[in-house]
Amino acid sequence: AVRFGETLKRLLVACAARVELLAGVLDDMQWADKETLGLVTDLVKSLAGSAVVCIVGARPGMLVESGGWGEGVASPLCRAWR
């Protein structure tokens, strides 16, 4: 998973270097396992300061199962939408 995450990060950074803004959308994250949530968290943290925006959608039940997920990663605006 670490190797995949690092490869994905390099790909996103390279793509973002060619455009003004790169947006990635991940939906139905309530179905993601803990390893996938960790991978996405690490990826988003490592892309801080780049021209990449990650939009994540999940059902409210995810906050019950993984209540702290995304804390410290999401912008204040995103946290307000919870």
Side-chain angles (χ1 to χ4, degrees), residues 18-48:
R18 296 175 178 260
V19 296
E20 289 184 38
L21 180 66
L22 180 66
V25 179
L26 300 170
D27 196 13
D28 289 332
M29 289 298 288
Q30 72 274 5
W31 302 116
D33 58 23
K34 293 198 182 296
E35 290 79 17
T36 302
L37 293 176
L39 176 72
V40 171
T41 299
D42 293 344
L43 181 63
V44 170
K45 284 181 181 178
S46 70
L47 292 170

Side-chain angles (χ1 to χ4, degrees), residues 7 9 13 24 28 31 34 46 48-49 54-55 59 61-62 78:
T7 301
K9 175 188 167 191
V13 169
D28 289 332
W31 302 116
K34 293 198 182 296
S46 70
C54 185
I55 302 163
R59 293 182 181 177
M62 182 177 169
C78 292

Side-chain angles (χ1 to χ4, degrees), residues 62-79:
M62 182 177 169
L63 295 178
V64 174
E65 295 294 319
S66 302
W69 188 77
E71 289 295 322
V73 177
S75 73
L77 177 60
C78 292
R79 284 195 296 271

